[in-house]
Amino acid sequence: MKAAKPDTIATHAGSSPFEQHGMVNPPVYHASTVLFPSLAALEAADANPFEIYNYGRLGTPTSHAFERAIAQLEGGYRAVTVSSGLAAITTALLAFTKAGDHVLITDSAYGPARRFANEELTRYGVAVEYYDPLIGAGIDALIRPNTSLVYLESPGSLTFEIQDVPAIAAAAKRVGAVVVLDNTWATPLHFRPFDHGVDVSIHAATKYIVGHSDAMLGVLNCTEAAFDVVKRAAVRYGAAAGPDDIYFGLRGLRTLSVRLKRHGDSSLALADWLSRQPEVRHVLHPARPDHPGHHLWRRDFRGTSGLFAVLLEPFAKHAIAAMFDHFEVFGLGYSWGGFESLALPLDPRPVRSATRWGHDGPLLRFHTGLEDIDDLIRDLDAGFGRLRQAVS
Ligand SMILES: *Cc1c(COP(=O)(O)O)cnc(C)c1O
């Protein structure tokens, strides 16, 4: 299926029905022990543990099917499945660093990634420095001879800055630093990391790939040069994912494209409606022409997903609570990427250090689900009504 287009790859990648009695989907292998018919066969598996199954933690036909599908869909050599998106991030951060190294992390990075870098990496003698997500080629001035890893997240999943990935990757390559990108927002369908100089593409598959808010799963998709380092590290850390959760990831991939289209289209309609509310100062949606960095999104991305934010005028907490406590369709909770809409009031200030977050009001983040757009707008409209009433 070399020449196939993304939708076709997503539909078929990683499947081999005639190796499993013609059944369309692969079986879910629940495995710890793998038995060998002879000592020679056991030794052969030990000598080649990433190709020949030898213990459940190292891989099963279920994890390999998911990894083949991800690598085929996004490009990349091979993928490594781990137990959560955060486990994928920490695996990458540990695998490519040692005492005395320097790492550069975007100021827009997912909060728990920052916490891991600040509280764990530093304990092992790694210097952690944050950079302005909009720095582009200017990152060259921050690169040191001992910079071993440059970490990106584009767009940032809280503040939605679009990074100039190829420019940053080119600067990192000058000193041989590995380029790690959290590609969760775009999914393997909307941004092609390996065409832009990325070495390791991370997905919190928990989000759009699983797509139904019912599993935790992470994956690191790697270039050939990065794969061995990442796989060995993941095996040493013991961060294997459970087979049922991996199966949910593989099943989610089959419908990712149609779900994303709906998430994306509805998110643009919601963003448009929100932009016309007097309490909304700015809309942060990468696919809107007024978004800072929109030209980079147009240059590098193939489509939009459904996660975006708006910056609200400052309001007292009780007014925000009046809005959020009584939504009927939007759920109040962490995560995103599932079929159901979510909304959260957030403050980016505690998770910035290289840049100052200048906005003094709340940031409202929306994950646009698959509900009817009229019902979503009606729910938001009622929420804004409660907000206005609370301050009148
Ligand atoms: C949720 C998220 C993660 C972490 O994924 P988990 O599976 O929840 O551990 C990483 N990066 C981004 C951008 C996320 O939104």
Side-chain angles (χ1 to χ4, degrees):
M1 251 201 334
K2 282 246 170 331
K5 302 214 174 194
D7 282 359
T8 311
I9 297 172
T11 309
H12 294 284
S15 91
S16 36
F18 297 106
E19 288 168 25
Q20 59 216 21
H21 313 285
M23 311 280 169
V24 169
N25 288 296
V28 179
Y29 282 87
H30 285 266
S32 53
T33 299
V34 176
L35 295 176
F36 299 93
S38 67
L39 193 56
L42 183 146
E43 285 171 353
D46 284 347
N48 198 0
F50 305 155
E51 301 295 338
I52 304 174
Y53 301 114
N54 84 348
Y55 186 55
R57 196 171 58 226
L58 276 69
T60 65
T62 308
S63 65
H64 283 192
F66 177 64
E67 290 163 359
R68 273 201 310 278
I70 291 284
Q72 217 180 322
L73 188 57
E74 191 174 40
Y77 169 69
R78 258 181 94 167
V80 178
T81 311
V82 293
S83 55
S84 70
L86 185 58
I89 293 168
T90 62
T91 297
L93 288 175
L94 285 171
F96 293 101
T97 52
K98 61 181 189 307
D101 282 354
H102 168 246
V103 302
L104 283 165
I105 299 179
T106 178
D107 216 21
S108 54
Y110 178 64
R114 278 182 93 95
R115 211 166 301 136
F116 180 84
N118 293 345
E119 293 173 22
E120 301 293 334
L121 276 191
T122 54
R123 293 199 300 127
Y124 298 100
V126 176
V128 174
E129 184 179 358
Y130 293 89
Y131 66 88
D132 180 346
L134 303 177
I135 199 167
I139 200 165
D140 207 54
L142 301 181
I143 303 250
R144 303 178 192 169
N146 62 334
T147 304
S148 62
L149 187 152
V150 178
Y151 185 93
L152 303 91
E153 180 180 324
S154 180
S157 55
L158 184 57
T159 43
F160 299 94
E161 297 90 343
I162 314 284
Q163 298 198 255
D164 191 340
V165 178
I168 292 170
K173 294 277 151 73
R174 189 169 56 73
V175 294
V178 70
V179 178
V180 176
L181 168 74
D182 185 329
N183 200 25
T184 302
W185 185 90
T187 83
L189 285 174
H190 287 343
F191 182 80
R192 305 272 304 167
F194 303 106
D195 295 346
H196 299 286
V198 171
D199 299 299
V200 178
S201 171
I202 285 172
H203 294 279
T206 306
K207 309 290 168 58
Y208 283 119
I209 293 175
V210 166
H212 294 71
S213 310
D214 51 4
M216 306 293 303
L217 192 65
V219 64
L220 304 103
N221 195 10
C222 304
T223 60
E224 186 166 3
F227 171 75
D228 219 53
V229 177
V230 168
K231 180 69 187 180
R232 280 175 201 285
V235 167
R236 283 193 298 265
Y237 307 152
D244 292 315
D245 293 340
I246 298 172
Y247 182 82
F248 285 152
L250 190 58
R251 187 163 76 166
L253 268 187
R254 306 302 183 207
T255 56
L256 180 62
S257 172
V258 285
R259 286 187 286 111
L260 274 186
K261 173 91 176 77
R262 174 69 169 267
H263 287 300
D265 288 352
S266 291
S267 77
L268 280 166
L270 270 193
D272 186 53
W273 184 87
L274 283 159
S275 74
R276 286 183 270 108
Q277 306 312 305
E279 296 84 358
V280 171
R281 276 190 191 161
H282 293 290
V283 176
L284 303 177
H285 193 309
R288 281 171 62 91
D290 58 357
H291 188 67
H294 177 70
H295 63 288
L296 293 176
W297 182 82
R298 285 188 72 92
R299 185 190 71 185
D300 295 343
F301 286 71
R302 294 174 166 186
T304 184
S305 60
L307 189 77
F308 72 100
V310 303
L311 302 181
L312 214 61
E313 303 280 347
F315 279 100
K317 193 155 200 164
H318 79 273
I320 299 294
M323 182 184 205
F324 276 80
D325 285 354
H326 304 285
F327 279 133
E328 290 179 351
V329 183
F330 281 89
L332 176 62
Y334 291 104
S335 199
W336 45 278
F339 50 79
E340 81 293 9
S341 288
L342 299 171
L344 265 184
L346 295 159
D347 179 4
R349 281 174 293 192
V351 287
R352 304 296 280 206
S353 57
T355 50
R356 196 179 144 266
W357 184 253
H359 181 68
D360 54 352
L363 176 152
L364 310 186
R365 190 179 74 173
F366 296 97
H367 164 59
T368 323
L370 303 178
E371 300 92 340
D372 191 287
I373 185 67
D374 294 341
D375 288 330
L376 292 176
I377 289 175
R378 200 172 304 126
D379 203 33
L380 282 188
D381 194 34
F384 273 88
R386 292 190 297 274
L387 179 73
R388 282 164 203 148
Q389 196 167 17
V391 294
S392 68

